[in-house]
Amino acid sequence: MKLTFALILALQVSVCVWAQDWPEPDKELVEKYEGLKAVFLKRVVNAWEKTKETIQPALESSSTGGQAKEFFEEMQKRPRVESAIKIMGGLASELEPVVDKARMALLGAYGYYLRPYIGEHLDKAITNIKPVLDTVLPHEG
């Protein structure tokens, strides 16, 4: 009962916060954000692939790695795991519009309230860190 009450209260507070009108983000800011997000995701995917390529031979040669691989393959075949994956996938697709709305609200708030004060400094910081990231975590394979 207490948990239900806390959940309802939290949902009401979150609805009240998001119910107010937030400023619309500039088209240029949204495009810049989308570009940075795409490059970041490419960096993460490339890092994951390189890590997987490095670790996979070591895991396949060890007995523990083989057992772990068999365990995960067996877990994926279980009906409960399959249904949990389907439920999480459905939740992700259902929450996507809410996440997009929240993202646009945050970008609008940033563009309206913070960008005039910290936008130039943040842009310089991003520009200065790109060469380091290109060396450490490249976005192109």
Side-chain angles (χ1 to χ4, degrees), residues 24-135:
E24 287 291 321
D26 296 337
K27 184 179 179 182
E28 177 261 335
L29 179 62
V30 173
E31 289 173 358
K32 192 173 202 175
Y33 169 79
E34 292 295 332
L36 289 172
K37 184 175 91 170
V39 170
F40 175 76
L41 290 177
K42 286 179 187 176
R43 290 180 195 280
V44 170
V45 167
N46 283 340
W48 172 254
E49 291 297 324
K50 286 182 181 180
T51 304
K52 195 168 76 170
E53 289 172 4
T54 305
I55 294 175
Q56 193 170 12
L59 286 178
E60 288 176 355
S61 64
S62 73
S63 62
T64 309
Q67 290 173 349
K69 184 177 179 182
E70 289 175 13
F71 173 75
F72 284 116
E73 287 174 355
E74 187 178 316
M75 286 295 292
Q76 288 178 344
K77 294 177 185 175
R78 293 187 178 181
R80 286 186 178 174
V81 174
E82 288 178 0
S83 60
I85 290 172
K86 288 179 184 177
I87 289 170
M88 286 188 281
L91 279 174
S93 64
E94 290 290 326
L95 289 176
E96 190 173 342
V98 174
V99 171
D100 284 341
K101 185 177 179 181
R103 183 180 300 128
M104 289 301 127
L106 287 173
L107 278 174
Y110 164 75
Y112 186 78
Y113 297 111
L114 296 177
R115 195 172 191 199
Y117 304 106
I118 65 169
E120 188 176 324
H121 301 294
L122 185 60
D123 191 43
K124 283 182 184 177
I126 291 171
T127 303
N128 290 337
I129 202 165
K130 277 183 183 180
V132 175
L133 287 174
D134 287 339
T135 304

